[in-house]
Amino acid sequence: MSAETLAHISNNLVYSAMLVYAGAMYCYAAELAFGSPSRRRRVPEQVEARALVTAGASVGTGDVGRAAVVPPAEDDRVWAESRRARAGRLGRTAVALTVLAFALHLGAVVTRGISAGRPPWGNMYEFSVAGSLAVTGAFLVLLTRKDIRYLGTFVVLPVLLTLGLAVSVLYTESAQLVPALKSVWLLIHVTAAMIASGIFTIAFAQSICFLVQEHRERVPAELRGPSFMDRMPTAAVLDRSAYKMHAFAYPIWTFAIIAGAIWAENAWGRYWGWDPKETWAFITWMVYTAYLHARSTAGWKGRRAAYLAMLGYSTFLFNYLVVNIWLVGFHSYAGVK
Amino acid sequence: MVHTLSTAPSRDRPPEPRPPAMRPLELARWGWRQLTSMRTALVLLFLLALAAVPGSLVPQRSISAARAAQFAQQHPHLDPWYQRFSLYAVYSSPWFAAIYLLLFISLVGCVLPRSRLHLAASLARPPRAPRHLDRLPAHVAVPVSGTVAEVLDRARAALRGRRFRVDVADDYVAAEKGYLRETGNLLFHLALLLLLLSVALGHLFGYKANVLLVEGTSFSNTVSTYDTWTPGALADETKLAPFTVTLEHLAVRFQRGGQQSGAPRDFQGALRYTTDPSARPRSYDLRVNHPLVVDGVKVFLLGNGYAPVITVRDSHGQVVLKGPVPFLTQDGNFTSNGVVKVPGASPQLGFQGFFLPTAAFDPTRGPVSVYPGLELPRLVLTGWRGDLGIDGGAAQSVYTLDTSGMSQVLTSTGKPFARSLAQGQTMTLPTGETVTFNGVRRWASLAVARDPGTTPALLSAVLALAGLMLSLFVRRRRVWVRVSDEGGRTLLEVAGLARAEGDEGLPDEVRELAGSIAGTDPPELDDRDDDASDRTGAPRER
Ligand code: HEM
């Protein structure tokens, strides 16, 4: 098959993946919306107690056994049952669709790579397509180990937005690389950066869920109206998993920066030159460092740490969107004209 | 550490005592405590991130002096302020340095006491068992077979086998593992300090230089041959490695057709070099990402361009200039500008013009190049006669023509004389001199750098990464095993405490240990109604 045909197939796979992602997102959102509000509702005192202590058991399941469920009226119960069943079906469909979309998306990246004859993250378009694949990949891998289906909407939405941006604004024809980009270290650097950003994206979604949940939990449980947030873990659990996710991504990001420095040294004779791209990678790193420190300081857990995490993610987005396109540097390899 | 988390209404608090006047020593101690507090560290980390922002928005001289100068010209009102706050050189500015130096002082002040504590903890025995093991976050009690001494023995062996440090007392075993967590944390912070020192080492003793080398020509590693030369404060210019490099040939390939037509795809320079004047020449294939290393000095291929080969004869047919003249690349299609100076002619001659590797005529921009490869090369020149102004001794760029002492060569109708030459063509000025465009050679722009801090910086970074992984992923846990004789039956109690946030494996480890000591399946944890869900016991306050 010719390079052009493959590139064409790759483009079509991206569009198909987007379609399936959209379906998956709809199902995730519907699951949250239809989710039985009673699933996590407990006797008020216990909810209070549990909100105060940090639930250490694994997300979503460990403490269900001991949680007393508010006994609903009989017809309420039947109604809730049917809703719960529907929500479960929706959730499973959503995951199946995500797997399908991931497969199409992966196919798009692979065919693009074969078409160009190199790893397909050499310009902004390819970086976006491959980077969003890393986000879905990280989500699916984590899903096999933890019940984080509640995050589905917040993971698939950014993936879809990124792909949309890629095909509409950033699109670049499949081609070879400019000489500066032909380096193993670049490959390692970009791969690490994509994996780290995939995990940061999920961590960011968790931090947002935490902020919303924390806000909700300030109202006593018996006064809260039903909401899709009932389907989510408690704020304490969200806070803790967000921390672990950030702590997982941080060393990978650190490694990505080191690999980038090695590449820069090889290409230009200086391992660090403060060009805008490097500078913003550094800023992101600094903000996440502040986040990790904040977590170990009394009074900075929870809300304020979550704000720092969001700031960290914004600096990452700034690097990806604004710096790549508007601020030129040595790195200007975006290929966007 | 004692935390006073008072729940009393604030009006019951005693009024804030007025700080007594501090003596200098006290003041210094107070200042040091403030500086090394975690809150200050947080503020400084955040400030450093913030301080890095302007350098990415304002053109930096270190990246492109030309763009910085252009910005200054376009913003005459901002410029003095930007100058005052070093905004064109943020990363070497005093205020940027102040932030990171404070941060590193704070880091040292933080790490030193922690190292002392950690050393003491590493040498000490694991702490004694608390009286009530069942108050710990993970606790198991099961009856077992065997005497107390036998069971304690088994417990010790089981804990040793799991890499715990173990201390055996009369009726219990105390154990702790995961010291590497704190070791890693200290190593990480220390390695950052080393990284800073390595960067400083490079800046002080290293040097950077640039040189433009036309095919067939050479340069040697001496200050005078370089176009730009940026030494570190302590670099010794008399002891540069005595190598010489010749660029024999430069091969360049560009993308043809498609959306990215003209994008560079490949360029490589065939070099011959000698490590010192007496050494045998060797060859090297210089590519981007593939620098030449001689005696710790690296030579990098940065860019390339064209040098038209020109012959100038005076009105008597005498050759007054012959050779390649590098023109500077202006755009992605290698429209190049340049200047030809002929000091040997009398009167002196100067030419300004441009070189187009693939010439085309754009209705608005005039003649431009539309492709970077040599498809339709054209050299366009206008001439000047008079005094080049280079005899006075003042340094002058070879890429600009000072026309203040010259007059432009005009046609008979009084217009500036300009001609476009194809390869091999000659133009004759109205005054009789001739210019021949013989051919084209390529030039490479090379960066030459010595940075003795590179290897130490890399090592520090690797150390930092290793320390970081240890500090984030090693689990520090304490376990106590108590064995008691309860009226003829031996009772085994295992309890644990995790010291890291998010350590969710502790309950399982406690159960698994108890099972292994008892010789049974892992028993269930004791369940309590108080904060049992906080099984990890990770400290929530510090
Ligand atoms: C360039 C500056 C710094 C960087 C990049 C940095 C980075 C980090 C990172 C990534 C961690 C996380 C490791 C973990 O959670 O176990 C950490 C932990 C820590 N840092 Fe820093 N740090 C810096 C400066 C400082 C300073 C100035 C202080 C002291 C004032 C400090 C004190 C600590 C402490 C005490 C911990 C351990 C927290 C814990 O036990 O959870 N760091 N640092």
Side-chain angles (χ1 to χ4, degrees):
Chain A
M1 238 182 290
S2 77
E4 280 101 83
T5 322
L6 277 166
H8 192 66
I9 292 177
S10 172
N11 297 349
N12 285 337
L13 283 171
V14 170
Y15 284 111
S16 325
M18 286 175 71
L19 213 63
V20 183
Y21 274 130
M25 193 176 73
Y26 172 78
C27 291
Y28 283 122
E31 186 201 6
L32 282 185
F34 289 128
S36 144
S38 64
R39 191 184 135 196
R40 280 178 185 279
R41 189 164 289 179
R42 302 177 189 121
V43 227
E45 303 82 56
Q46 249 175 338
V47 174
E48 288 297 343
R50 271 171 223 296
L52 285 174
V53 300
T54 319
S58 70
V59 181
T61 51
D63 49 356
V64 165
R66 272 175 284 116
V69 172
V70 179
E74 185 57 19
D75 49 344
D76 263 9
R77 200 185 57 76
V78 173
W79 184 72
E81 278 294 304
S82 80
R83 272 174 76 101
R84 186 158 38 217
R86 185 144 53 122
R89 270 198 309 279
L90 278 168
R92 282 190 300 277
T93 314
V95 173
L97 286 176
T98 313
V99 172
L100 176 61
F102 178 80
L104 294 167
H105 195 163
L106 180 69
V109 171
V110 170
T111 44
R112 176 85 180 188
I114 300 175
S115 150
R118 59 179 169 76
W121 32 92
N123 52 47
M124 276 286 284
Y125 169 74
E126 293 172 359
F127 181 78
S128 307
V129 174
S132 50
L133 181 74
V135 174
T136 318
F139 177 65
L140 287 176
V141 168
L142 289 164
L143 201 56
T144 62
R145 301 180 41 191
K146 298 193 167 195
D147 179 17
I148 52 167
R149 200 162 77 197
Y150 65 91
L151 278 178
T153 321
F154 308 99
V155 172
V156 173
L157 180 66
V159 168
L160 208 50
L161 288 180
T162 310
L163 287 178
L165 187 73
V167 295
S168 57
V169 180
L170 305 173
Y171 185 74
T172 317
E173 274 176 16
S174 173
Q176 288 178 303
L177 288 182
V178 299
L181 301 182
K182 290 180 188 163
S183 157
V184 191
W185 281 106
L186 174 69
L187 180 67
I188 296 173
H189 162 69
V190 179
T191 310
M194 281 190 317
I195 294 173
S197 40
I199 304 172
F200 275 137
T201 304
I202 294 174
F204 170 70
Q206 280 179 321
S207 290
I208 291 193
C209 293
F210 160 77
L211 283 174
V212 177
Q213 190 73 302
E214 200 256 9
H215 187 74
R216 227 177 103 68
E217 283 179 6
R218 291 194 201 161
V219 179
E222 67 275 17
L223 298 182
R224 286 179 218 153
S227 149
F228 68 90
M229 292 305 290
D230 290 321
R231 298 277 305 161
M232 296 213 179
T234 61
V237 171
L238 282 169
D239 185 35
R240 186 167 284 205
S241 359
Y243 164 72
K244 289 174 75 175
M245 208 64 85
H246 280 110
F248 183 37
Y250 181 84
I252 304 179
W253 186 252
T254 310
F255 174 71
I257 294 179
I258 295 175
I262 295 176
W263 166 50
E265 206 275 336
N266 257 307
W268 306 306
R270 87 287 185 293
Y271 52 87
W272 196 266
W274 294 110
D275 89 10
K277 202 90 216 257
E278 290 170 342
T279 303
W280 279 91
F282 171 81
I283 293 172
T284 302
W285 189 71
M286 253 11 241
V287 176
Y288 280 122
T289 304
Y291 169 82
L292 290 183
H293 279 149
R295 297 281 318 188
S296 56
T297 309
W300 271 80
K301 284 216 163 144
R303 272 193 107 64
R304 285 203 261 180
Y307 288 141
L308 271 179
M310 294 175 73
L311 184 67
Y313 195 71
S314 326
T315 62
F316 163 76
L317 281 187
F318 187 87
N319 205 356
Y320 162 61
L321 293 173
V322 182
V323 176
N324 265 330
I325 300 173
W326 297 110
L327 304 176
V328 286
F330 251 132
H331 274 75
S332 57
Y333 74 108
V336 183
K337 294 203 175 149
Chain B
M1 213 191 301
V2 181
H3 282 276
T4 42
L5 292 174
S6 169
T7 52
S10 56
R11 65 185 149 80
D12 290 350
R13 278 198 207 141
E16 289 280 321
R18 279 253 214 92
M22 285 194 267
R23 277 177 289 124
L25 191 65
E26 282 171 19
L27 190 69
R29 272 220 199 99
W30 177 85
W32 179 249
R33 262 202 314 278
Q34 292 304 306
L35 181 60
T36 57
S37 77
M38 198 62 156
R39 196 145 34 92
T40 310
L42 257 175
V43 171
L44 287 172
L45 286 167
F46 189 70
L47 265 185
L48 190 58
L50 199 64
V53 173
S56 72
L57 306 175
V58 178
Q60 297 294 292
R61 278 199 210 102
S62 59
I63 295 177
S64 166
R67 287 211 2 250
Q70 190 190 358
F71 181 92
Q73 225 167 32
Q74 288 168 351
H75 301 85
H77 298 295
L78 290 178
D79 181 50
W81 290 98
Y82 279 27
Q83 300 268 12
R84 197 163 302 163
F85 293 109
S86 316
L87 284 185
Y88 299 117
V90 166
Y91 307 106
S92 48
S93 70
W95 53 269
F96 192 73
I99 297 175
Y100 69 73
L101 288 179
L102 274 179
L103 180 62
F104 274 93
I105 293 171
S106 165
L107 186 150
V108 170
C110 193
V111 164
L112 284 185
R114 267 180 89 111
S115 305
R116 220 180 40 237
L117 288 179
H118 183 52
L119 188 69
S122 310
L123 297 175
R125 297 171 171 184
R128 306 167 41 152
R131 192 186 305 267
H132 298 289
L133 285 185
D134 57 353
R135 290 200 184 149
L136 289 174
H139 176 252
V140 178
V142 281
V144 289
S145 60
T147 65
V148 169
E150 283 167 8
V151 178
L152 277 178
D153 236 29
R154 293 209 297 266
R156 198 190 52 159
L159 285 163
R160 279 261 164 82
R162 286 164 181 74
R163 315 184 52 114
F164 275 88
R165 173 179 304 177
V166 177
D167 185 42
V168 186
D170 285 344
D171 66 335
Y172 70 84
V173 181
E176 178 158 3
K177 74 170 176 185
Y179 292 85
L180 275 179
R181 182 184 184 88
E182 181 70 2
T183 312
N185 185 24
L186 295 172
L187 178 68
F188 172 73
H189 287 85
L190 202 75
L192 290 182
L193 200 63
L194 288 180
L195 183 63
L196 184 73
L197 293 178
S198 312
V199 174
L201 183 76
H203 274 287
L204 287 177
F205 292 96
Y207 58 79
K208 275 186 259 175
N210 284 89
V211 61
L212 189 149
L213 202 58
V214 178
E215 282 175 312
T217 62
S218 309
F219 78 94
S220 52
N221 186 28
T222 51
V223 176
S224 60
T225 60
Y226 289 125
D227 300 333
T228 67
W229 168 252
T230 330
L234 301 178
D236 186 350
E237 304 185 359
T238 61
K239 288 200 183 126
L240 304 185
F243 62 84
T244 304
V245 174
T246 308
L247 177 65
E248 303 214 299
H249 177 67
L250 184 68
V252 183
R253 198 163 57 77
F254 299 99
Q255 168 93 18
R256 257 172 203 282
Q259 188 190 14
Q260 296 187 43
S261 175
R265 288 306 170 215
D266 205 13
F267 53 112
Q268 48 184 311
L271 298 187
R272 283 182 89 67
Y273 69 99
T274 55
T275 51
D276 63 77
S278 60
R280 230 163 32 83
R282 283 182 259 181
S283 49
Y284 189 82
D285 178 20
L286 186 69
R287 275 173 282 129
V288 178
N289 289 321
H290 185 45
L292 167 71
V293 187
V294 193
D295 279 349
V297 184
K298 292 189 172 177
V299 181
F300 301 86
L301 181 56
L302 289 188
N304 70 99
Y306 292 106
V309 182
I310 293 167
T311 307
V312 182
R313 293 186 172 80
D314 62 17
S315 45
H316 310 294
Q318 202 75 24
V319 174
V320 284
L321 180 116
K322 185 173 171 61
V325 182
F327 275 40
L328 294 185
T329 312
Q330 302 298 318
D331 61 20
N333 284 323
F334 283 57
T335 301
S336 309
N337 283 357
V339 160
V340 184
K341 298 185 186 181
V342 193
S346 62
Q348 292 180 327
L349 292 175
F351 297 91
Q352 275 176 331
F354 40 92
F355 173 74
L356 312 169
T358 302
F361 192 85
D362 185 292
T364 52
R365 293 192 296 153
V368 289
S369 174
V370 291
Y371 181 74
L374 286 171
E375 307 266 291
L376 190 66
R378 288 289 181 275
L379 179 64
V380 182
L381 291 177
T382 58
W384 296 76
R385 285 159 60 94
D387 181 3
L388 285 169
I390 50 183
D391 302 326
Q396 209 188 51
S397 164
V398 294
Y399 302 110
T400 54
L401 192 66
D402 175 9
T403 54
S404 56
M406 311 188 86
S407 55
Q408 192 159 21
V409 178
L410 303 176
T411 61
S412 52
T413 56
K415 291 213 192 101
F417 176 86
R419 286 289 179 274
S420 163
L421 300 176
Q423 217 162 304
Q425 287 184 339
T426 299
M427 68 181 190
T428 308
L429 303 191
T431 44
E433 294 93 343
T434 64
V435 180
T436 309
F437 172 30
N438 302 103
V440 184
R441 286 202 224 159
R442 292 181 195 275
W443 54 256
S445 72
L446 304 179
V448 179
R450 190 178 111 81
D451 183 346
T454 302
T455 311
L458 180 61
L459 287 180
S460 316
V462 171
L463 273 185
L465 196 60
L468 180 64
M469 307 280 269
L470 289 177
S471 98
L472 285 175
F473 301 125
V474 168
R475 309 228 174 277
R476 183 143 189 198
R477 290 173 183 165
R478 286 184 181 158
V479 169
W480 292 276
V481 178
R482 178 171 278 140
V483 187
S484 49
D485 189 348
E486 303 272 322
R489 277 185 14 189
T490 309
L491 184 71
L492 168 72
E493 274 185 289
V494 182
L497 189 66
R499 305 201 42 203
E501 186 176 11
D503 182 355
E504 289 165 3
L506 179 76
D508 284 337
E509 173 145 36
V510 167
R511 292 175 54 221
E512 191 266 335
L513 253 171
S516 146
I517 298 170
T520 61
D521 284 343
E524 284 306 313
L525 288 190
D526 284 0
D527 226 354
R528 281 157 304 142
D529 274 342
D530 53 10
D531 65 348
S533 63
D534 191 11
R535 281 274 156 65
T536 68
R540 256 166 279 128
E541 293 285 338
R542 244 174 245 254

